[in-house]
Amino acid sequence: MAWRCSAPTNAGLVDNLATANILSTPRIIAAMKATDRAHYSPRRPYDDCPQSLGFGATISAPHMHAHALESLSPMLRPGASVLDIGSGSGYLVSVFSKLVRPGGTVIGVEHLKELNEAAEKRFVEEEGSLAKEILQKNEVIFKTADGRHGCPGEKFDAIHVGASMPAVPEVLLEQLKSPGKMFVPVGDVNEDQYIYEYTRDAEGNLTRERLFGVAYVPLGDVEYYYARGRKLVE
Ligand code: SAH
């Protein structure tokens, strides 16, 4: 199902994800078509598999981005606030930003300074003069920080986590608005990992559902990543 979605173009890749029923929401399909992965993936952008960004980090496979966007889609409305923890290449930050305009905000939290600077540069390359305005107005923020505790004190309509953690801390769940949704890989790197979808309803009740098995890099220490290479893949 996954690698079969590879295509020679961005539009072809997105069409294949839709044909495979991984994508179905027209707004999500349009936002992915408007965000050419070639700006964010240093190698083979339209292959449906992860690609190295350097430092042991990867841009996730297109089908994972598609699953995450579809899962969070009810919350990705104009004016919404989104937190992307472990934002890596910046690809999802850009897609989220298109979906929450006008009036929305997207915070990408990435602990590797080199990756975060590259992500912001890629965003500016992709969105041109519009990006400068969006960044100046703080509608998109590329924050270099440890994301394990999210952005304490703030609340979000949607939270995406791009790296796996052994358990979701209470402090992160508290950052979900009512209603709100979180898409998060849970599990130790050397053990089984699964995607969990957390949903807080309008009354504040929190439920969670296990979706499918995955293999993500860990939401961990900077040193873990620097030990895997100090060079950005460009
Ligand atoms: N969604 C991103 C995924 C990147 S891989 C993309 O598709 O491009 C996971 C990212 O999580 C890596 O860039 C890694 O550096 C980052 N990460 C790992 N631990 C982190 C932490 N404690 N705080 C913030 N970012 C972290």
Side-chain angles (χ1 to χ4, degrees):
M1 142 180 121
W3 55 267
R4 276 188 248 146
C5 295
S6 300
T9 61
N10 192 63
L13 169 68
V14 178
D15 284 340
N16 288 349
L17 291 164
T19 306
N21 288 323
I22 300 171
L23 287 175
S24 59
T25 307
R27 294 179 66 243
I28 303 291
I29 293 172
M32 285 184 75
K33 282 199 173 166
T35 311
D36 192 334
R37 286 180 73 87
H39 290 289
Y40 295 93
S41 180
R43 304 268 187 278
R44 295 184 290 159
Y46 315 127
D47 278 10
D48 195 12
C49 58
Q51 300 290 338
S52 174
L53 297 169
F55 310 94
T58 55
I59 174 171
S60 298
H63 66 273
M64 282 312 306
H65 285 156
H67 276 299
L69 287 160
E70 281 292 343
S71 157
L72 298 173
S73 65
M75 300 300 145
L76 302 174
R77 300 263 156 223
S81 55
V82 184
L83 175 64
D84 184 16
I85 299 174
S87 43
S89 65
Y91 171 80
L92 276 180
V93 169
S94 178
V95 182
F96 287 141
S97 134
K98 290 180 181 73
L99 289 162
V100 303
R101 280 177 217 160
T105 53
V106 184
I107 303 179
V109 181
E110 166 59 51
H111 65 166
L112 301 179
K113 185 170 139 287
E114 296 87 340
L115 276 193
N116 216 19
E117 284 171 0
E120 186 163 332
K121 220 171 106 199
R122 288 171 175 136
F123 181 67
V124 171
E125 265 164 29
E126 185 225 325
E127 292 276 25
S129 53
L130 191 61
K132 295 207 176 85
E133 197 187 315
I134 290 170
L135 291 166
Q136 261 161 18
K137 287 188 186 160
N138 283 340
E139 288 171 357
V140 165
I141 298 171
F142 289 95
K143 188 173 163 186
T144 302
D146 188 339
R148 277 175 278 199
H149 296 115
C151 280
E154 296 195 42
K155 285 195 189 282
F156 301 90
D157 297 282
I159 299 179
H160 172 262
V161 188
S164 191
M165 52 181 132
V168 183
E170 196 56 38
V171 64
L172 204 52
L173 295 172
E174 283 164 9
Q175 290 167 43
L176 262 192
K177 281 188 189 171
S178 301
K181 281 192 97 173
M182 186 190 303
F183 184 94
V184 54
V186 180
D188 196 85
V189 233
N190 298 317
E191 289 167 18
D192 286 345
Q193 293 176 14
Y194 294 95
I195 292 290
Y196 280 86
E197 191 181 68
Y198 282 83
T199 306
R200 196 185 288 289
D201 67 16
E203 283 74 49
N205 305 306
L206 190 68
T207 51
R208 68 168 204 178
E209 193 184 339
R210 196 172 94 174
L211 298 188
F212 45 81
V214 287
Y216 273 66
V217 293
L219 193 71
D221 299 325
V222 166
E223 292 71 30
Y224 171 94
Y225 285 90
Y226 283 149
R228 278 157 181 79
R230 301 284 307 214
K231 200 170 168 292
L232 182 73
V233 177
E234 287 180 282

